[in-house]
Amino acid sequence: MTKTALVVGSSGIVGSATAARLLSDGWEVLGLARRPTDQARVRPVAADLQDAAATARALEGLTPDAVFVTTWLRQQSEAENIRVNAAMVRNLLDGLRPAASVRHVALVTGLKHYLGPFEAYGKGVLPQTPFRETQGRLDVDNFYYAQEDEVFAAAARDGFTWSVHRPHTVIGKAVGNAMNMGTTLAVYATLCRETGRPFRFPGSAAQWNGLTDMTDARQLARQLVWAATTPAAANEAFNVVNGDVFRWSWMWGRIAEWFGLEPAPFDGTVVPLEEQMRGDAPLWREIAAREGLAEPDLDRLASPWHTDADLGRPIEVVTDMGKSRRLGFLDYQATDDAFFDLFAELRADRLIP
């Protein structure tokens, strides 16, 4: 490869980590977003993927070898998720077609491939855990499947290889991201410390007591680049998690300790973060003004709805990584360290005090 990459969603949690990894590996990086942020050594490409003509104009003259699709837009229903997000992938790949430069497209989806979309999340008949890539699609509408189908069709038409990557909940930094558990928990812990409220686990007994895993954005980025440059990984779907498992009954105490808090006892009652943090926006503005924080808007930092969806699941979720390991991807990341690294970065960047 001539090592030019287009990272789609370059300002998000996964996109920014992927851009950083590519740069460290010597790639030239183009960063596409609706409103690109200032990222060192990333050439910004502004495009709204919902607009096919505008996307084609924005991509004109670009010749990436590899494309990393790390973005999606949340809609009010799964039918709308399918319509909008499938069209975004289609418009992107159609816009890149005239240059005929693309050799590989990597698509990031997630464990909703196995758990179902938000409208039916963790319900009905689900595959047995640990989730494995050999488990087929659920018999339910899912925008992940629609995105995959767009990639598969374009690959068959245009001759590039593809990979699909299915992380569990991603730990990483981005402001204004729709799914951001790490920063949400950091903000929640800060609010608990400020007010003296108990640092209370918001989720289900199944999540508190059961085994689970997570995905550091840096781990995902490493797998994305590995798949794009490893011939044996072509045209395959891969789970990607950190490589450890834990129980929230342990991790909650680890997070509390980092913030100097005592974890509240858990009695099995679900008390969602959306409920606990409702009305905290004015308080966060006060904290931000007093501490000189960079983002006073609580809604741009925390996504309680998504954290509640993950921590409230009634089933244990563990992910198998055997497929990519057999092909040579052996990277590992301790999940508590992933949280701690993120918290330290948020503090250094004045996003939390």
Side-chain angles (χ1 to χ4, degrees):
M1 287 188 175
T2 57
K3 299 184 77 171
T4 299
L6 175 66
V7 179
V8 182
S10 57
S11 59
I13 291 176
V14 177
S16 58
T18 302
R21 181 67 194 187
L22 289 161
L23 289 168
S24 72
D25 286 352
W27 292 64
E28 177 185 350
V29 178
L30 312 169
L32 186 150
R34 281 177 296 170
R35 293 178 293 276
T37 57
D38 185 17
Q39 295 170 277
R41 297 189 293 141
V42 175
R43 176 181 167 188
V45 179
D48 180 354
L49 295 180
Q50 296 182 83
D51 186 328
T55 298
R57 289 192 297 271
L59 295 173
E60 189 173 359
L62 302 183
T63 56
D65 302 286
V67 180
F68 300 88
V69 183
T70 71
T71 190
W72 70 289
L73 281 178
R74 186 188 182 202
Q75 305 299 312
Q76 292 300 310
S77 68
E78 194 60 19
E80 278 298 288
N81 276 332
I82 290 169
R83 184 185 68 80
V84 170
N85 289 283
M88 288 169 59
V89 174
R90 183 168 60 252
N91 293 340
L92 168 71
L93 298 178
D94 285 350
L96 289 166
R97 188 183 189 190
S101 66
V102 176
R103 302 182 188 182
H104 186 83
V105 172
L107 172 68
V108 177
T109 60
L111 293 196
K112 286 189 291 298
H113 183 92
Y114 310 108
L115 287 163
F118 288 120
E119 291 179 3
Y121 195 48
K123 300 174 183 176
V125 179
L126 300 175
Q128 186 177 14
T129 57
F131 294 139
R132 293 184 171 89
E133 296 92 341
T134 52
Q135 294 162 331
R137 294 179 174 183
L138 300 175
D139 186 19
V140 62
D141 290 339
N142 190 324
F143 82 88
Y144 284 172
Y145 307 159
Q147 287 181 308
E148 286 182 344
D149 288 343
E150 293 293 341
V151 171
F152 300 159
R157 178 192 70 196
D158 298 336
F160 56 76
T161 60
W162 55 265
S163 57
V164 174
H165 303 260
R166 298 170 185 159
H168 199 166
T169 305
V170 177
I171 304 169
K173 181 194 158 204
V175 175
N177 194 272
M179 301 191 299
N180 195 340
M181 180 188 285
T183 304
T184 298
L185 293 180
V187 168
Y188 173 61
T190 301
L191 290 165
C192 288
R193 190 175 59 198
E194 175 79 12
T195 61
R197 298 194 315 233
F199 186 61
R200 179 174 184 170
F201 181 71
S204 67
Q207 292 303 304
W208 181 257
N209 296 312
L211 291 173
T212 193
D213 48 32
M214 293 185 73
T215 307
D216 189 308
R218 299 167 297 184
Q219 173 83 336
L220 174 51
R222 291 191 290 265
Q223 195 195 64
L224 286 164
V225 180
W226 166 81
T229 55
T230 302
N235 303 329
E236 298 286 353
F238 298 106
N239 295 333
V240 52
V241 287
N242 288 335
D244 61 355
V245 294
F246 63 90
R247 302 180 200 277
W248 276 105
S249 56
W250 175 80
M251 185 67 76
W252 199 249
R254 296 284 285 157
I255 293 173
E257 182 180 10
W258 198 93
F259 285 96
L261 296 168
E262 286 291 328
F266 179 66
D267 64 3
T269 304
V270 177
V271 185
L273 285 180
E274 273 200 305
E275 177 183 319
Q276 293 192 54
M277 297 174 69
R278 187 173 294 123
D280 280 339
L283 174 58
W284 186 260
R285 288 192 176 276
E286 292 177 17
I287 296 171
R290 186 187 72 218
E291 302 290 341
L293 301 184
E295 181 52 72
D297 186 348
L298 182 63
D299 289 338
R300 284 183 52 76
L301 290 175
S303 52
W305 69 272
H306 177 257
T307 299
D308 287 338
D310 276 3
L311 297 184
R313 289 182 302 219
I315 58 171
E316 178 179 277
V317 176
V318 181
T319 314
D320 181 74
M321 278 275 287
K323 184 176 180 180
S324 60
R325 284 172 175 159
R326 288 186 182 95
L327 295 176
F329 182 76
L330 303 176
D331 291 51
Y332 168 86
Q333 170 66 59
T335 301
D336 53 347
D337 286 343
F339 275 121
F340 301 158
D341 289 349
L342 171 63
F343 299 156
E345 185 177 6
L346 294 174
R347 184 166 284 173
D349 291 346
R350 303 304 302 159
L351 289 168
I352 62 172

